[in-house]
Amino acid sequence: MKISLHWLKDYIQLEMTPEKSGEILTDIGLEVEGMEEIQTVKGGLEGLVIGEVLTCEKHPNADKLSLTTVNVGQEEALQIVCGAPNVAAGQKVVVATHGTTIYPIEGEPFKIKRGKIRGEVSNGMICAEDEIGLGNDHAGIMVLDENAKVGSLAKDYFEINTDIVYEIGLTPNRSDATCHIGVAEDLAAYLKINEGLTTGVDYPNLTNFHIEKTNLPFKVEVLNNEACPRYAGVSIDNITVKESPQWLKDRLNAIDVRPINNVVDITNFILHEYGQPLHAFDADKVSGKHIIVDTLPEGTKFISLDEKERSLSAEDLMICDGDKKGMCIGGIFGGIGSGVTESTTSIFLESAHFNAGWIRRSSTRHLLRTDAAKVFEKGSDPNVSVDALKRATLLIGELAGGKVASELVDIYPEPIKEKEIELHYDKLNKMVGIEIPKEEVHNILQAMKMELRPVDDSSLAVKVPTNKSDVVREADLIEEVLRIYGFNKVPIPTTVKSTIHFGSYPEKSDVIEIISNFLVANGFNEMMGLSLIEERKIPELLGINSESYVYINNTSNVHLNIMRPEPLTSGLQSVLHNYNYQQKDLKLFEIGKSYQKSDGENFVETPFLTMFVTGQNHVEHWSGNTAESDLYSIKKWTDWLLSRLGIYTYQVDELSEAKWSYGLSYRRGKENIVKFGAVNHEVLEHADIKSQVFYAEYDLATLVKFGQLSKLTVKEISKYPSVKRDLALVIDEGIAYSQIERATKKLKSNILQNISLFDIYKSEEHLGKGKKSYAISMFFQDQTNTLKDKIVDKEMSQLIEILKKEVGAEIRS
């Protein structure tokens, strides 16, 4: 956002250097990111000179060109080829000579070069006003007053001024600082408290506003008061649309707003003066002299000022005429056919307050990030609408000859009042870090135009002006006090105090650090997904009740409307993002939280750890020794991670949740540790992912609870070989893998080191109804001897008998 120092001085006395003013702006939370001395006309007319046309003859080779000689104060007159129809001998003109760079109203700057035009030498250019940034007229060259001095500089003739412009890094919450008066009010408060300023802000004088006649009445209906809490307007006739005076063009040029004509320029001026967007409708183009503020049916077509046809949403607030035809997307962008043109003689001038959320959603929906939309979505001041309307009306009378031709319409059914916040002195001093005297606190608040009401000795009630839409709680009010008091006045302590903390080991932070280090060391990359997500991205297959969603009023990114209720969906978005950048072989993990509502009122934040594995396990190699990720890839990392955390014992169950096509879960009793497996193909299709993804979801709180970091054990690797035997078991579908694990423990073997599931097979045709097959591997190893087959065979025979007895297993050959 750009702020003009000269413009600020219209409202407040600033007897200090521009640098000092910039420092104060930064002190009060309006960080100055840049300061520039500018000329109010682009390029400052540098190099342009005043000349006199000595001769003007028809170009010998082109009917529409003239061959002139121009005196620019040099020893010899310059021959210049000119295409303007109004050039004539004896005129005083603006000349750009060879090597001069000119800055047109539209387009890029360009340098004038000596050359030939249709066979005749041209040593420069005689300029029109739009070619040098002084106006929009291109009908012919500029003809100056006959007293203009030949050879003098154009910038001296036109008295080009300089200005200081600050580039302000305006944060999204500062609705009060979107305009020059708002910034001036902040400056005045600071200077009154810290520099002894005795005067306040010099507001524009509105006392001359009056209703002159009522020959052009307008009927106004607001049918959606939620989207438009206040709508004001007035009709003005006897208007002459023309170029704006230089002072107005200078103000707009300083902040990079292109002047257009006096009426449009006045509305832009008011936007940057009061922070109140206005819209002017050509009164003759408003059917029935009737304004209707309402939404239109879904899919209604609307052609906007940029000549694009837009399909409206049923939630786009429209300003319509008496035929319910849309003339403007309220608070965002005008339509073609109802705006001000050179032939306009009467207007209806709108000054409204629109709901910030409605504006943000529509501007985002149509990709229309206009200056008006940016102001409304921050939360414009509803109680400045009429003052801004009166100010604009007076300027239109002064600069365009306009006369008020109707009563001032002001539809404001439920006036928005100042919020009252209770401020406690002890909390203020605790948050600031020092004690600010009560009287100084009162002075600061009153300097910001806040009304005070004592509550008791320890607190007071403060009425916050409606232009500060971000000040809604006590902490916000304390920040306002500190801004004006001065951040730099709070001393930096010379000592650091800390409190000894006693907690159980391991603490959550220890577990998270170990997890992160372990996974990164094993080739995983950490991702950080947004806690916000689009509601429509959550697959119905997951079975999450929408009543448990935590909805948020996100005016910055309206489509991100809920907190993520589970971690899979946001993680798959990260996988898809990597896929789109040709990153197919992924090992990702995230430590975060999911959010849901419980019992309709309470909120539950669930910490989680997730892992995603997809693509090849290893980088492609000439030897072809690569393998696609599978269930055993994710199981390997799961088992290794749990071992690193000292979690060795748990029950294993087959997964039957909709997230996974197949997989396993580890638990202790009823407490889940981790669930992992292949993501359901329907979930992947919903996320627009075509490759298989393997996913593990850990309960982070359970990892912290069961983690035994201090009980890690190390043992020597056996020097004797191990023996692996496989079994294919046919069992009932209801039998879980954990039951098989428990059964194997009844063997009480000293040499059975490990058992693992490596395949699940289901086929009614081959196995029978209600049956499934588990393929399991057994690993035998003796720490003191090399195992003999007969010993292993004996163990396997005993194990098979146990499995037949305990789980009814049949050995599949």
Side-chain angles (χ1 to χ4, degrees):
M1 173 181 166
K2 292 184 182 293
I3 293 292
S4 159
L5 180 59
H6 283 189
W7 199 340
L8 278 178
K9 289 181 177 179
D10 289 345
Y11 317 111
I12 183 174
Q13 295 179 8
L14 292 174
E15 304 296 336
M16 60 189 71
T17 65
E19 290 76 14
K20 178 63 176 177
S21 298
E23 290 175 8
I24 294 175
L25 286 171
T26 298
D27 285 346
I28 58 178
L30 301 173
E31 184 175 355
V32 175
E33 297 177 342
M35 184 181 79
E36 181 183 9
E37 182 176 358
I38 62 142
Q39 292 160 322
T40 50
V41 174
K42 283 193 295 184
L45 306 185
E46 287 292 336
L48 300 176
V49 296
I50 307 300
E52 180 179 7
V53 180
L54 301 179
T55 64
C56 180
E57 300 174 357
K58 182 179 176 182
H59 193 291
N61 302 320
D63 292 340
K64 294 184 178 181
L65 298 178
S66 299
L67 193 61
T68 68
T69 55
V70 183
N71 176 18
V72 293
Q74 298 177 3
E75 291 184 5
E76 294 183 7
L78 302 178
Q79 177 173 289
I80 297 176
V81 177
C82 181
N86 64 329
V87 64
Q91 293 173 335
K92 298 289 180 67
V93 293
V94 179
V95 179
T97 58
H98 171 72
T100 301
T101 299
I102 63 174
Y103 296 79
I105 285 288
E106 294 183 353
E108 296 297 318
F110 61 93
K111 183 177 288 189
I112 301 299
K113 296 181 180 179
R114 183 182 296 110
K116 284 188 177 183
I117 301 177
R118 302 298 294 270
E120 295 292 337
V121 174
S122 182
N123 293 292
M125 184 173 82
I126 304 175
C127 303
E129 64 177 39
D130 69 324
E131 293 170 333
I132 56 176
L134 288 176
N136 297 308
D137 188 8
H138 193 69
I141 60 170
M142 293 185 73
V143 179
L144 309 180
D145 185 83
E146 61 181 13
N147 296 322
K149 183 180 178 182
V150 172
S152 62
L153 297 178
K155 66 179 182 180
D156 295 333
Y157 176 83
F158 289 104
E159 297 180 347
I160 301 303
N161 297 316
T162 60
D163 195 356
I164 300 296
V165 175
Y166 301 105
E167 184 71 43
I168 302 295
L170 191 63
T171 52
N173 62 309
R174 291 299 304 274
S175 60
D176 60 323
T178 58
C179 59
H180 283 75
I181 286 181
V183 174
E185 288 175 337
D186 249 13
L187 277 173
Y190 180 91
L191 295 174
K192 185 175 182 179
I193 298 300
N194 296 285
E195 304 289 341
L197 182 71
T198 56
T199 59
V201 175
D202 185 13
Y203 295 98
N205 186 351
L206 307 178
T207 57
N208 290 330
F209 176 86
H210 63 282
I211 309 299
E212 299 179 68
K213 49 188 176 180
T214 57
N215 60 301
L216 191 59
F218 267 72
K219 180 182 178 181
V220 178
E221 289 183 274
V222 179
L223 303 182
N224 190 328
N225 293 115
E226 177 195 349
C228 180
R230 186 177 195 180
Y231 191 94
V234 68
S235 61
I236 306 169
D237 67 5
N238 199 45
I239 288 173
T240 301
V241 177
K242 57 185 179 181
E243 185 178 348
S244 296
Q246 193 61 44
W247 72 264
L248 180 53
K249 291 193 292 184
D250 287 349
R251 288 286 184 265
L252 297 178
N253 280 324
I255 57 172
D256 287 344
V257 176
R258 183 171 67 88
I260 298 173
N261 61 53
N262 52 355
V263 176
V264 175
D265 292 350
I266 287 169
T267 62
N268 285 329
F269 177 81
I270 297 300
L271 169 63
H272 293 279
E273 180 179 52
Y274 275 93
Q276 173 62 52
L278 305 176
H279 194 86
F281 299 97
D282 188 320
D284 293 333
K285 299 174 183 176
V286 181
S287 176
K289 302 295 184 285
H290 187 183
I291 300 288
I292 301 173
V293 183
D294 198 8
T295 54
L296 293 177
E298 184 78 28
T300 300
K301 301 303 180 184
F302 171 72
I303 301 177
S304 51
L305 271 176
D306 55 4
E307 300 183 356
K308 289 184 180 179
E309 184 178 81
R310 301 178 185 275
S311 182
L312 298 176
S313 163
E315 293 186 352
D316 291 330
L317 185 69
M318 300 297 294
I319 312 300
C320 307
D321 62 15
D323 297 329
K324 208 70 185 293
K325 178 182 177 182
M327 299 186 295
C328 174
I329 304 177
I332 299 173
F333 206 44
I336 201 163
S338 63
V340 173
T341 64
E342 291 181 357
S343 61
T344 298
T345 58
S346 59
I347 64 171
F348 179 80
L349 188 61
E350 165 195 285
S351 180
H353 172 69
F354 297 108
N355 180 283
W358 278 72
I359 295 297
R360 176 64 191 179
R361 287 190 288 273
S362 289
S363 68
T364 302
R365 188 180 298 120
H366 295 289
L367 301 178
L368 289 169
R369 308 294 296 128
T370 60
D371 287 343
K374 291 175 184 177
V375 169
F376 280 127
E377 68 191 25
K378 289 180 188 294
S380 65
D381 184 358
N383 294 318
V384 80
S385 300
V386 170
D387 283 352
L389 182 63
K390 290 179 178 179
R391 168 72 161 156
T393 302
L394 290 170
L395 286 173
I396 290 173
E398 177 186 343
L399 305 182
K403 305 291 184 183
V404 177
S406 73
E407 295 292 340
L408 190 150
V409 177
D410 185 16
I411 299 175
Y412 198 13
E414 296 183 14
I416 299 172
K417 298 179 180 179
E418 299 95 338
K419 297 180 289 290
E420 189 170 82
I421 301 173
E422 189 167 337
L423 177 65
H424 298 83
Y425 301 114
D426 57 346
K427 185 170 183 179
L428 182 150
N429 293 331
K430 183 178 180 180
M431 289 188 70
V432 172
I434 59 172
E435 183 173 344
I436 303 177
K438 292 181 181 180
E439 184 177 353
E440 189 164 2
V441 173
H442 299 167
N443 291 339
I444 290 172
L445 294 171
Q446 289 169 339
M448 290 189 287
K449 299 167 60 178
M450 298 184 183
E451 295 182 18
L452 312 182
R453 178 176 60 81
V455 175
D456 51 39
D457 291 342
S458 63
S459 65
L460 76 161
V462 182
K463 280 190 175 181
V464 180
T466 50
N467 69 328
K468 295 182 180 292
S469 61
D470 63 310
V471 182
V472 296
R473 53 186 183 155
E474 187 177 16
D476 301 327
L477 195 58
I478 292 171
E479 182 184 356
E480 291 295 290
V481 172
L482 182 55
R483 282 196 312 106
I484 303 303
Y485 176 77
F487 291 102
N488 292 332
K489 290 166 67 174
V490 178
I492 299 174
T494 56
T495 57
V496 176
K497 298 179 181 179
S498 66
T499 302
I500 297 176
H501 172 68
F502 296 94
S504 58
Y505 183 81
E507 292 193 3
K508 182 179 177 181
S509 58
D510 299 322
V511 174
I512 288 175
E513 184 174 3
I514 287 174
I515 290 171
S516 300
N517 290 339
F518 175 81
L519 292 175
V520 169
N522 283 281
F524 279 78
N525 289 301
E526 184 173 8
M527 60 184 180
M528 298 180 68
L530 280 176
S531 296
L532 310 178
I533 198 169
E534 293 182 69
E535 179 181 1
R536 66 183 182 87
K537 296 284 189 182
I538 306 297
E540 290 184 13
L541 183 68
L542 299 185
I544 303 174
N545 191 333
S546 61
E547 293 182 1
S548 68
Y549 290 165
V550 180
Y551 289 92
I552 60 170
N553 182 22
N554 186 359
T555 59
S556 296
N557 289 287
V558 66
H559 56 289
L560 300 175
N561 62 331
I562 64 170
M563 306 290 283
R564 59 179 172 189
E566 54 80 40
L568 173 60
T569 305
S570 61
L572 289 177
Q573 288 181 339
S574 295
V575 171
L576 178 62
H577 179 79
N578 280 274
Y579 276 8
N580 290 339
Y581 284 87
Q582 308 304 313
Q583 301 299 313
K584 306 289 187 181
D585 306 324
L586 302 172
K587 291 193 293 185
L588 305 174
F589 77 96
E590 179 180 11
I591 297 171
K593 291 181 180 180
S594 60
Y595 308 85
Q596 292 195 32
K597 271 201 297 189
S598 172
D599 304 325
E601 295 182 359
N602 299 318
F603 298 93
V604 177
E605 296 184 13
T606 305
F608 64 77
L609 162 67
T610 57
M611 289 162 46
F612 293 81
V613 177
T614 182
Q616 294 183 342
N617 279 320
H618 306 289
V619 178
E620 288 187 16
H621 191 263
W622 65 268
S623 66
N625 186 23
T626 59
E628 289 290 321
S629 300
D630 54 18
L631 176 65
Y632 306 103
S633 304
I634 195 78
K635 183 179 185 300
K636 174 181 69 175
W637 298 117
T638 297
D639 292 347
W640 285 10
L641 176 61
L642 293 180
S643 295
R644 177 64 186 86
L645 295 175
I647 302 173
Y648 300 105
T649 59
Y650 38 78
Q651 291 84 46
V652 181
D653 299 310
E654 186 180 348
L655 270 180
S656 59
E657 293 186 23
K659 282 184 185 181
W660 292 272
S661 295
Y662 55 87
L664 300 172
S665 70
Y666 294 170
R667 61 179 173 83
R668 280 190 183 175
K670 294 182 178 180
E671 294 189 83
N672 172 62
I673 298 175
V674 61
K675 298 174 182 179
F676 62 90
V679 178
N680 189 304
H681 70 277
E682 292 184 34
V683 175
L684 294 175
E685 286 178 8
H686 189 83
D688 201 26
I689 294 175
K690 297 179 175 59
S691 301
Q692 182 62 277
V693 177
F694 295 90
Y695 168 66
E697 183 176 316
Y698 299 76
D699 187 316
L700 190 58
T702 307
L703 293 182
V704 174
K705 178 179 179 181
F706 293 149
Q708 299 290 325
L709 306 186
S710 61
K711 295 184 179 181
L712 290 178
T713 57
V714 178
K715 63 181 180 180
E716 184 181 358
I717 298 174
S718 175
K719 59 185 177 181
Y720 300 101
S722 62
V723 176
K724 178 187 173 189
R725 295 287 177 90
D726 295 336
L727 279 179
L729 307 176
V730 178
I731 54 178
D732 291 337
E733 279 193 350
I735 299 295
Y737 176 69
S738 58
Q739 292 175 262
I740 294 174
E741 277 194 322
R742 286 197 297 270
T744 60
K745 291 179 181 177
K746 292 190 176 182
L747 182 61
K748 297 186 182 347
S749 171
N750 293 323
I751 62 173
L752 179 59
Q753 302 295 327
N754 188 31
I755 176 174
S756 67
L757 175 68
F758 68 88
D759 190 32
I760 301 172
Y761 175 66
K762 296 180 181 180
S763 171
E764 189 171 322
E765 179 182 352
H766 296 105
L767 301 179
K769 187 175 182 180
K771 296 291 185 177
K772 64 182 177 181
S773 174
Y774 273 1
I776 59 176
S777 293
M778 278 72 61
F779 296 88
F780 297 90
Q781 189 175 46
D782 194 327
Q783 301 296 320
T784 59
N785 294 290
T786 300
L787 285 173
K788 296 186 171 104
D789 284 344
K790 64 179 183 179
I791 296 176
V792 176
D793 291 343
K794 181 180 179 182
E795 295 270 330
M796 286 294 297
S797 298
Q798 293 176 358
L799 182 60
I800 290 171
E801 292 302 317
I802 291 172
L803 291 172
K804 286 180 178 179
K805 179 181 178 182
E806 296 294 327
V807 298
E810 298 177 13
I811 305 305
R812 183 173 169 226
S813 57

